[in-house]
Amino acid sequence: MSTDKRPLIAGNWKMNGTGAALAEISRLRNLVADSGAARADILICPPATLLHRASETASGSAIAVGGQDCHAAASGAHTGDISAQMLTDAGATHVIVGHSERRTDHGETSADVRAKADVALGAGLIPVICVGETEAEREAGSANRVVADQFASSLPDYGDGTEIIIAYEPVWAIGTGKTPTIADIADMHAHIRQLLVERFGEAGAAARILYGGSVKPSNAEEILSVPNVDGALVGGASLKADDFFAIVAAS
Ligand code: PGA
């Protein structure tokens, strides 16, 4: 790792996994234990239906569990939704907010994401706030501006920046096998670092910025060695403990 921060390797299972998938958490637990102390913090964000069982499976290990989304309200008449406090109650310590699949599939705006991040912090969760440009926006040369706009309007009003994590996920790299060049990742992470420092000072310098989008065992070491890349948010390659652990081991 290029960073002096302890990296975070986070897995986002998305809408994958039933009870049988808990065996992957047990296996990951064993892999981590066998390797001695992992150099990275490890987070698994399973579907909400597995969260409580996942937290029990991971209990007493170095693996934390988190939600993939929460509602912006603390409670109320929101059929099918899950509050931040419910995630905490189920054993979560983190929650992903503003993932591009939520922004696209559910029309979530940055204002929605900010409200979710606020309620997450209020419930004692660390929000992993996702930002990232589309392919068209990158080709148009507006990636930095898009990410700066998302940053300005998705970050919580609540808190001083010590309890947030940013995930830079170029939309076109998610689940496609495509990744930006190492130089492009370095430029964007430096840009986000500057935004964090401008907004939060020292806390912004200390905040973790994860890279996400087609991270896998074969590219993890190179990506994780980029300055200001303080970990990874991993989708497809987080579903199998061996692949995910290879990414942890590359950090
Ligand atoms: P991927 O997904 O690793 O499958 O590209 C990353 C993400 O969506 O967080």
Side-chain angles (χ1 to χ4, degrees), residues 179-222:
T179 53
T181 65
I182 292 300
D184 284 345
I185 295 175
D187 284 352
M188 184 60 83
H189 279 245
H191 175 56
I192 294 170
R193 176 67 64 209
Q194 190 186 340
L195 296 170
L196 278 164
V197 169
E198 280 166 12
R199 173 130 175 202
F200 297 114
E202 271 178 39
R208 288 191 283 205
I209 309 170
L210 312 183
Y211 169 79
S214 296
V215 176
K216 47 192 180 217
S218 59
N219 63 16
E221 189 171 355
E222 188 179 26

mmCIF file of all heavy atoms in Angstrom, residues 179-222:
data_model
loop_
_atom_site.group_PDB
_atom_site.id
_atom_site.type_symbol
_atom_site.label_atom_id
_atom_site.label_comp_id
_atom_site.label_asym_id
_atom_site.label_seq_id
_atom_site.Cartn_x
_atom_site.Cartn_y
_atom_site.Cartn_z
ATOM 1 N N THR A 179 -11.160 -1.051 -16.303
ATOM 2 C CA THR A 179 -10.720 -0.152 -15.221
ATOM 3 C C THR A 179 -10.066 1.075 -15.846
ATOM 4 O O THR A 179 -9.533 1.002 -16.962
ATOM 5 C CB THR A 179 -9.698 -0.827 -14.283
ATOM 6 O OG1 THR A 179 -8.633 -1.354 -15.073
ATOM 7 C CG2 THR A 179 -10.314 -1.942 -13.470
ATOM 8 N N PRO A 180 -10.082 2.184 -15.119
ATOM 9 C CA PRO A 180 -9.335 3.347 -15.605
ATOM 10 C C PRO A 180 -7.840 3.027 -15.603
ATOM 11 O O PRO A 180 -7.413 2.055 -14.976
ATOM 12 C CB PRO A 180 -9.642 4.435 -14.570
ATOM 13 C CG PRO A 180 -10.758 3.917 -13.730
ATOM 14 C CD PRO A 180 -10.718 2.423 -13.822
ATOM 15 N N THR A 181 -7.075 3.862 -16.272
ATOM 16 C CA THR A 181 -5.628 3.691 -16.185
ATOM 17 C C THR A 181 -5.191 4.036 -14.763
ATOM 18 O O THR A 181 -5.895 4.741 -14.019
ATOM 19 C CB THR A 181 -4.892 4.628 -17.156
ATOM 20 O OG1 THR A 181 -5.142 5.974 -16.736
ATOM 21 C CG2 THR A 181 -5.355 4.434 -18.591
ATOM 22 N N ILE A 182 -4.015 3.548 -14.421
ATOM 23 C CA ILE A 182 -3.481 3.855 -13.094
ATOM 24 C C ILE A 182 -3.326 5.362 -12.933
ATOM 25 O O ILE A 182 -3.619 5.928 -11.865
ATOM 26 C CB ILE A 182 -2.131 3.108 -12.905
ATOM 27 C CG1 ILE A 182 -2.401 1.589 -12.845
ATOM 28 C CG2 ILE A 182 -1.382 3.586 -11.676
ATOM 29 C CD1 ILE A 182 -3.313 1.133 -11.715
ATOM 30 N N ALA A 183 -2.920 6.045 -14.003
ATOM 31 C CA ALA A 183 -2.765 7.505 -13.930
ATOM 32 C C ALA A 183 -4.115 8.179 -13.689
ATOM 33 O O ALA A 183 -4.211 9.141 -12.912
ATOM 34 C CB ALA A 183 -2.132 8.026 -15.222
ATOM 35 N N ASP A 184 -5.157 7.667 -14.329
ATOM 36 C CA ASP A 184 -6.488 8.266 -14.122
ATOM 37 C C ASP A 184 -6.990 8.025 -12.703
ATOM 38 O O ASP A 184 -7.632 8.897 -12.106
ATOM 39 C CB ASP A 184 -7.490 7.719 -15.146
ATOM 40 C CG ASP A 184 -7.305 8.333 -16.527
ATOM 41 O OD1 ASP A 184 -6.615 9.376 -16.634
ATOM 42 O OD2 ASP A 184 -7.852 7.778 -17.509
ATOM 43 N N ILE A 185 -6.714 6.832 -12.176
ATOM 44 C CA ILE A 185 -7.119 6.576 -10.778
ATOM 45 C C ILE A 185 -6.354 7.531 -9.853
ATOM 46 O O ILE A 185 -6.936 8.143 -8.952
ATOM 47 C CB ILE A 185 -6.854 5.100 -10.394
ATOM 48 C CG1 ILE A 185 -7.746 4.166 -11.216
ATOM 49 C CG2 ILE A 185 -7.096 4.885 -8.896
ATOM 50 C CD1 ILE A 185 -7.474 2.672 -11.002
ATOM 51 N N ALA A 186 -5.062 7.676 -10.096
ATOM 52 C CA ALA A 186 -4.251 8.562 -9.243
ATOM 53 C C ALA A 186 -4.771 9.996 -9.307
ATOM 54 O O ALA A 186 -4.893 10.675 -8.276
ATOM 55 C CB ALA A 186 -2.788 8.502 -9.676
ATOM 56 N N ASP A 187 -5.092 10.464 -10.507
ATOM 57 C CA ASP A 187 -5.574 11.849 -10.659
ATOM 58 C C ASP A 187 -6.894 12.044 -9.918
ATOM 59 O O ASP A 187 -7.085 13.041 -9.225
ATOM 60 C CB ASP A 187 -5.801 12.180 -12.139
ATOM 61 C CG ASP A 187 -4.498 12.426 -12.876
ATOM 62 O OD1 ASP A 187 -3.443 12.494 -12.203
ATOM 63 O OD2 ASP A 187 -4.539 12.529 -14.119
ATOM 64 N N MET A 188 -7.811 11.090 -10.094
ATOM 65 C CA MET A 188 -9.125 11.267 -9.457
ATOM 66 C C MET A 188 -9.020 11.177 -7.938
ATOM 67 O O MET A 188 -9.664 11.946 -7.219
ATOM 68 C CB MET A 188 -10.123 10.232 -9.994
ATOM 69 C CG MET A 188 -11.520 10.428 -9.447
ATOM 70 S SD MET A 188 -12.228 12.051 -9.842
ATOM 71 C CE MET A 188 -12.841 11.738 -11.515
ATOM 72 N N HIS A 189 -8.200 10.262 -7.456
ATOM 73 C CA HIS A 189 -8.078 10.155 -5.997
ATOM 74 C C HIS A 189 -7.394 11.393 -5.406
ATOM 75 O O HIS A 189 -7.764 11.841 -4.308
ATOM 76 C CB HIS A 189 -7.367 8.846 -5.614
ATOM 77 C CG HIS A 189 -8.294 7.665 -5.629
ATOM 78 N ND1 HIS A 189 -8.623 6.945 -4.496
ATOM 79 C CD2 HIS A 189 -9.006 7.123 -6.641
ATOM 80 C CE1 HIS A 189 -9.501 5.997 -4.823
ATOM 81 N NE2 HIS A 189 -9.728 6.075 -6.121
ATOM 82 N N ALA A 190 -6.438 11.968 -6.131
ATOM 83 C CA ALA A 190 -5.817 13.216 -5.649
ATOM 84 C C ALA A 190 -6.855 14.343 -5.640
ATOM 85 O O ALA A 190 -6.893 15.171 -4.718
ATOM 86 C CB ALA A 190 -4.634 13.579 -6.541
ATOM 87 N N HIS A 191 -7.701 14.353 -6.652
ATOM 88 C CA HIS A 191 -8.777 15.358 -6.746
ATOM 89 C C HIS A 191 -9.730 15.224 -5.550
ATOM 90 O O HIS A 191 -10.068 16.213 -4.884
ATOM 91 C CB HIS A 191 -9.503 15.108 -8.076
ATOM 92 C CG HIS A 191 -10.700 15.943 -8.335
ATOM 93 N ND1 HIS A 191 -10.693 17.319 -8.326
ATOM 94 C CD2 HIS A 191 -11.982 15.580 -8.636
ATOM 95 C CE1 HIS A 191 -11.910 17.767 -8.615
ATOM 96 N NE2 HIS A 191 -12.707 16.726 -8.799
ATOM 97 N N ILE A 192 -10.120 13.988 -5.255
ATOM 98 C CA ILE A 192 -11.047 13.767 -4.129
ATOM 99 C C ILE A 192 -10.348 14.104 -2.805
ATOM 100 O O ILE A 192 -10.957 14.687 -1.904
ATOM 101 C CB ILE A 192 -11.572 12.309 -4.141
ATOM 102 C CG1 ILE A 192 -12.432 12.089 -5.385
ATOM 103 C CG2 ILE A 192 -12.373 12.001 -2.872
ATOM 104 C CD1 ILE A 192 -12.824 10.633 -5.644
ATOM 105 N N ARG A 193 -9.063 13.788 -2.710
ATOM 106 C CA ARG A 193 -8.324 14.142 -1.477
ATOM 107 C C ARG A 193 -8.347 15.656 -1.266
ATOM 108 O O ARG A 193 -8.585 16.135 -0.159
ATOM 109 C CB ARG A 193 -6.869 13.651 -1.574
ATOM 110 C CG ARG A 193 -6.005 14.050 -0.391
ATOM 111 C CD ARG A 193 -6.426 13.360 0.917
ATOM 112 N NE ARG A 193 -6.239 11.931 0.809
ATOM 113 C CZ ARG A 193 -6.965 11.016 1.472
ATOM 114 N NH1 ARG A 193 -7.912 11.384 2.311
ATOM 115 N NH2 ARG A 193 -6.746 9.729 1.311
ATOM 116 N N GLN A 194 -8.151 16.382 -2.367
ATOM 117 C CA GLN A 194 -8.149 17.843 -2.253
ATOM 118 C C GLN A 194 -9.525 18.346 -1.794
ATOM 119 O O GLN A 194 -9.627 19.225 -0.940
ATOM 120 C CB GLN A 194 -7.779 18.434 -3.613
ATOM 121 C CG GLN A 194 -7.503 19.919 -3.568
ATOM 122 C CD GLN A 194 -7.293 20.479 -4.967
ATOM 123 O OE1 GLN A 194 -6.999 19.740 -5.914
ATOM 124 N NE2 GLN A 194 -7.460 21.775 -5.112
ATOM 125 N N LEU A 195 -10.578 17.763 -2.362
ATOM 126 C CA LEU A 195 -11.932 18.154 -1.950
ATOM 127 C C LEU A 195 -12.152 17.859 -0.467
ATOM 128 O O LEU A 195 -12.747 18.665 0.262
ATOM 129 C CB LEU A 195 -12.978 17.391 -2.783
ATOM 130 C CG LEU A 195 -12.995 17.686 -4.291
ATOM 131 C CD1 LEU A 195 -13.905 16.683 -5.011
ATOM 132 C CD2 LEU A 195 -13.462 19.112 -4.559
ATOM 133 N N LEU A 196 -11.657 16.708 -0.014
ATOM 134 C CA LEU A 196 -11.815 16.331 1.392
ATOM 135 C C LEU A 196 -11.063 17.298 2.312
ATOM 136 O O LEU A 196 -11.582 17.716 3.354
ATOM 137 C CB LEU A 196 -11.295 14.902 1.614
ATOM 138 C CG LEU A 196 -12.247 13.767 1.264
ATOM 139 C CD1 LEU A 196 -11.485 12.438 1.166
ATOM 140 C CD2 LEU A 196 -13.365 13.642 2.301
ATOM 141 N N VAL A 197 -9.847 17.652 1.906
ATOM 142 C CA VAL A 197 -9.038 18.538 2.750
ATOM 143 C C VAL A 197 -9.649 19.935 2.778
ATOM 144 O O VAL A 197 -9.727 20.583 3.839
ATOM 145 C CB VAL A 197 -7.573 18.550 2.262
ATOM 146 C CG1 VAL A 197 -6.776 19.649 2.950
ATOM 147 C CG2 VAL A 197 -6.926 17.186 2.509
ATOM 148 N N GLU A 198 -10.134 20.390 1.609
ATOM 149 C CA GLU A 198 -10.765 21.718 1.577
ATOM 150 C C GLU A 198 -11.969 21.750 2.513
ATOM 151 O O GLU A 198 -12.226 22.735 3.173
ATOM 152 C CB GLU A 198 -11.241 22.060 0.157
ATOM 153 C CG GLU A 198 -10.125 22.561 -0.746
ATOM 154 C CD GLU A 198 -10.527 22.568 -2.223
ATOM 155 O OE1 GLU A 198 -11.725 22.396 -2.528
ATOM 156 O OE2 GLU A 198 -9.624 22.729 -3.065
ATOM 157 N N ARG A 199 -12.673 20.665 2.545
ATOM 158 C CA ARG A 199 -13.904 20.664 3.340
ATOM 159 C C ARG A 199 -13.669 20.349 4.821
ATOM 160 O O ARG A 199 -14.287 20.939 5.685
ATOM 161 C CB ARG A 199 -14.865 19.643 2.746
ATOM 162 C CG ARG A 199 -16.091 19.435 3.565
ATOM 163 C CD ARG A 199 -17.340 19.529 2.752
ATOM 164 N NE ARG A 199 -18.470 19.195 3.576
ATOM 165 C CZ ARG A 199 -19.621 18.789 3.111
ATOM 166 N NH1 ARG A 199 -19.791 18.684 1.819
ATOM 167 N NH2 ARG A 199 -20.609 18.523 3.913
ATOM 168 N N PHE A 200 -12.750 19.420 5.099
ATOM 169 C CA PHE A 200 -12.640 18.936 6.486
ATOM 170 C C PHE A 200 -11.258 19.132 7.102
ATOM 171 O O PHE A 200 -11.040 18.698 8.237
ATOM 172 C CB PHE A 200 -12.968 17.437 6.542
ATOM 173 C CG PHE A 200 -14.374 17.087 6.134
ATOM 174 C CD1 PHE A 200 -14.607 16.332 4.984
ATOM 175 C CD2 PHE A 200 -15.462 17.506 6.884
ATOM 176 C CE1 PHE A 200 -15.897 15.989 4.601
ATOM 177 C CE2 PHE A 200 -16.760 17.165 6.518
ATOM 178 C CZ PHE A 200 -16.979 16.414 5.369
ATOM 179 N N GLY A 201 -10.324 19.711 6.393
ATOM 180 C CA GLY A 201 -8.986 19.912 6.961
ATOM 181 C C GLY A 201 -8.310 18.581 7.268
ATOM 182 O O GLY A 201 -8.295 17.676 6.437
ATOM 183 N N GLU A 202 -7.768 18.481 8.485
ATOM 184 C CA GLU A 202 -7.014 17.269 8.839
ATOM 185 C C GLU A 202 -7.847 16.003 8.746
ATOM 186 O O GLU A 202 -7.347 14.944 8.360
ATOM 187 C CB GLU A 202 -6.487 17.383 10.281
ATOM 188 C CG GLU A 202 -5.135 18.048 10.353
ATOM 189 C CD GLU A 202 -4.663 18.193 11.784
ATOM 190 O OE1 GLU A 202 -4.877 17.278 12.591
ATOM 191 O OE2 GLU A 202 -4.064 19.244 12.066
ATOM 192 N N ALA A 203 -9.116 16.101 9.110
ATOM 193 C CA ALA A 203 -9.975 14.910 9.026
ATOM 194 C C ALA A 203 -10.108 14.470 7.567
ATOM 195 O O ALA A 203 -10.186 13.272 7.275
ATOM 196 C CB ALA A 203 -11.352 15.196 9.626
ATOM 197 N N GLY A 204 -10.092 15.436 6.670
ATOM 198 C CA GLY A 204 -10.167 15.109 5.241
ATOM 199 C C GLY A 204 -8.892 14.446 4.748
ATOM 200 O O GLY A 204 -8.931 13.565 3.885
ATOM 201 N N ALA A 205 -7.770 14.867 5.323
ATOM 202 C CA ALA A 205 -6.498 14.232 4.950
ATOM 203 C C ALA A 205 -6.456 12.795 5.449
ATOM 204 O O ALA A 205 -5.820 11.922 4.844
ATOM 205 C CB ALA A 205 -5.335 15.033 5.532
ATOM 206 N N ALA A 206 -7.162 12.540 6.564
ATOM 207 C CA ALA A 206 -7.121 11.208 7.177
ATOM 208 C C ALA A 206 -8.207 10.270 6.646
ATOM 209 O O ALA A 206 -8.129 9.062 6.860
ATOM 210 C CB ALA A 206 -7.268 11.349 8.691
ATOM 211 N N ALA A 207 -9.210 10.821 5.963
ATOM 212 C CA ALA A 207 -10.339 9.983 5.516
ATOM 213 C C ALA A 207 -9.882 8.993 4.448
ATOM 214 O O ALA A 207 -8.979 9.275 3.661
ATOM 215 C CB ALA A 207 -11.452 10.867 4.965
ATOM 216 N N ARG A 208 -10.551 7.848 4.420
ATOM 217 C CA ARG A 208 -10.179 6.845 3.430
ATOM 218 C C ARG A 208 -10.965 7.043 2.132
ATOM 219 O O ARG A 208 -12.169 7.314 2.159
ATOM 220 C CB ARG A 208 -10.411 5.442 3.981
ATOM 221 C CG ARG A 208 -9.364 5.119 5.048
ATOM 222 C CD ARG A 208 -9.369 3.668 5.438
ATOM 223 N NE ARG A 208 -10.461 3.365 6.307
ATOM 224 C CZ ARG A 208 -10.450 2.334 7.169
ATOM 225 N NH1 ARG A 208 -9.408 1.533 7.241
ATOM 226 N NH2 ARG A 208 -11.476 2.100 7.938
ATOM 227 N N ILE A 209 -10.257 6.890 1.032
ATOM 228 C CA ILE A 209 -10.879 6.934 -0.301
ATOM 229 C C ILE A 209 -10.661 5.559 -0.939
ATOM 230 O O ILE A 209 -9.520 5.163 -1.196
ATOM 231 C CB ILE A 209 -10.233 8.019 -1.199
ATOM 232 C CG1 ILE A 209 -10.176 9.379 -0.497
ATOM 233 C CG2 ILE A 209 -11.005 8.118 -2.525
ATOM 234 C CD1 ILE A 209 -9.329 10.423 -1.260
ATOM 235 N N LEU A 210 -11.758 4.857 -1.149
ATOM 236 C CA LEU A 210 -11.666 3.535 -1.775
ATOM 237 C C LEU A 210 -11.820 3.664 -3.281
ATOM 238 O O LEU A 210 -12.528 4.540 -3.773
ATOM 239 C CB LEU A 210 -12.788 2.619 -1.258
ATOM 240 C CG LEU A 210 -13.017 2.553 0.258
ATOM 241 C CD1 LEU A 210 -14.117 1.529 0.566
ATOM 242 C CD2 LEU A 210 -11.734 2.226 0.992
ATOM 243 N N TYR A 211 -11.176 2.777 -4.007
ATOM 244 C CA TYR A 211 -11.449 2.652 -5.442
ATOM 245 C C TYR A 211 -12.369 1.447 -5.644
ATOM 246 O O TYR A 211 -12.148 0.379 -5.027
ATOM 247 C CB TYR A 211 -10.158 2.457 -6.267
ATOM 248 C CG TYR A 211 -10.536 2.060 -7.667
ATOM 249 C CD1 TYR A 211 -10.960 3.027 -8.568
ATOM 250 C CD2 TYR A 211 -10.616 0.712 -8.046
ATOM 251 C CE1 TYR A 211 -11.430 2.674 -9.822
ATOM 252 C CE2 TYR A 211 -11.092 0.345 -9.301
ATOM 253 C CZ TYR A 211 -11.495 1.339 -10.170
ATOM 254 O OH TYR A 211 -11.998 0.980 -11.401
ATOM 255 N N GLY A 212 -13.357 1.582 -6.511
ATOM 256 C CA GLY A 212 -14.219 0.448 -6.835
ATOM 257 C C GLY A 212 -14.516 0.400 -8.317
ATOM 258 O O GLY A 212 -14.631 1.437 -8.990
ATOM 259 N N GLY A 213 -14.653 -0.802 -8.836
ATOM 260 C CA GLY A 213 -14.938 -1.001 -10.267
ATOM 261 C C GLY A 213 -13.974 -2.018 -10.834
ATOM 262 O O GLY A 213 -12.826 -1.699 -11.124
ATOM 263 N N SER A 214 -14.460 -3.291 -10.926
ATOM 264 C CA SER A 214 -13.672 -4.369 -11.526
ATOM 265 C C SER A 214 -12.339 -4.633 -10.825
ATOM 266 O O SER A 214 -11.350 -5.007 -11.466
ATOM 267 C CB SER A 214 -13.464 -4.124 -13.025
ATOM 268 O OG SER A 214 -14.720 -4.150 -13.709
ATOM 269 N N VAL A 215 -12.317 -4.424 -9.498
ATOM 270 C CA VAL A 215 -11.131 -4.844 -8.739
ATOM 271 C C VAL A 215 -11.171 -6.362 -8.611
ATOM 272 O O VAL A 215 -12.202 -6.955 -8.299
ATOM 273 C CB VAL A 215 -11.099 -4.197 -7.337
ATOM 274 C CG1 VAL A 215 -9.902 -4.717 -6.531
ATOM 275 C CG2 VAL A 215 -11.049 -2.678 -7.443
ATOM 276 N N LYS A 216 -10.050 -6.995 -8.876
ATOM 277 C CA LYS A 216 -9.962 -8.457 -8.787
ATOM 278 C C LYS A 216 -8.545 -8.828 -8.341
ATOM 279 O O LYS A 216 -7.671 -7.944 -8.278
ATOM 280 C CB LYS A 216 -10.314 -9.096 -10.136
ATOM 281 C CG LYS A 216 -9.627 -8.456 -11.301
ATOM 282 C CD LYS A 216 -10.234 -8.916 -12.623
ATOM 283 C CE LYS A 216 -9.482 -8.215 -13.741
ATOM 284 N NZ LYS A 216 -10.253 -7.823 -14.861
ATOM 285 N N PRO A 217 -8.339 -10.104 -8.026
ATOM 286 C CA PRO A 217 -7.010 -10.480 -7.518
ATOM 287 C C PRO A 217 -5.877 -10.047 -8.456
ATOM 288 O O PRO A 217 -4.811 -9.642 -7.998
ATOM 289 C CB PRO A 217 -7.094 -12.005 -7.400
ATOM 290 C CG PRO A 217 -8.538 -12.271 -7.137
ATOM 291 C CD PRO A 217 -9.285 -11.242 -7.949
ATOM 292 N N SER A 218 -6.107 -10.097 -9.780
ATOM 293 C CA SER A 218 -4.999 -9.820 -10.707
ATOM 294 C C SER A 218 -4.640 -8.335 -10.823
ATOM 295 O O SER A 218 -3.546 -8.014 -11.273
ATOM 296 C CB SER A 218 -5.337 -10.370 -12.095
ATOM 297 O OG SER A 218 -6.516 -9.768 -12.566
ATOM 298 N N ASN A 219 -5.545 -7.436 -10.451
ATOM 299 C CA ASN A 219 -5.185 -6.010 -10.567
ATOM 300 C C ASN A 219 -5.118 -5.294 -9.208
ATOM 301 O O ASN A 219 -4.802 -4.104 -9.144
ATOM 302 C CB ASN A 219 -6.134 -5.268 -11.522
ATOM 303 C CG ASN A 219 -7.584 -5.255 -11.034
ATOM 304 O OD1 ASN A 219 -7.848 -5.524 -9.877
ATOM 305 N ND2 ASN A 219 -8.505 -4.940 -11.929
ATOM 306 N N ALA A 220 -5.440 -6.031 -8.129
ATOM 307 C CA ALA A 220 -5.565 -5.364 -6.823
ATOM 308 C C ALA A 220 -4.260 -4.724 -6.363
ATOM 309 O O ALA A 220 -4.246 -3.579 -5.893
ATOM 310 C CB ALA A 220 -6.057 -6.363 -5.778
ATOM 311 N N GLU A 221 -3.168 -5.436 -6.513
ATOM 312 C CA GLU A 221 -1.914 -4.907 -5.961
ATOM 313 C C GLU A 221 -1.539 -3.584 -6.642
ATOM 314 O O GLU A 221 -1.157 -2.620 -5.979
ATOM 315 C CB GLU A 221 -0.792 -5.938 -6.136
ATOM 316 C CG GLU A 221 0.451 -5.528 -5.385
ATOM 317 C CD GLU A 221 1.510 -6.627 -5.348
ATOM 318 O OE1 GLU A 221 1.233 -7.753 -5.832
ATOM 319 O OE2 GLU A 221 2.602 -6.343 -4.848
ATOM 320 N N GLU A 222 -1.703 -3.552 -7.961
ATOM 321 C CA GLU A 222 -1.337 -2.332 -8.687
ATOM 322 C C GLU A 222 -2.261 -1.175 -8.294
ATOM 323 O O GLU A 222 -1.810 -0.055 -8.031
ATOM 324 C CB GLU A 222 -1.420 -2.604 -10.201
ATOM 325 C CG GLU A 222 -0.862 -1.464 -11.015
ATOM 326 C CD GLU A 222 -0.916 -1.733 -12.519
ATOM 327 O OE1 GLU A 222 -1.771 -2.519 -12.960
ATOM 328 O OE2 GLU A 222 -0.118 -1.109 -13.234
#
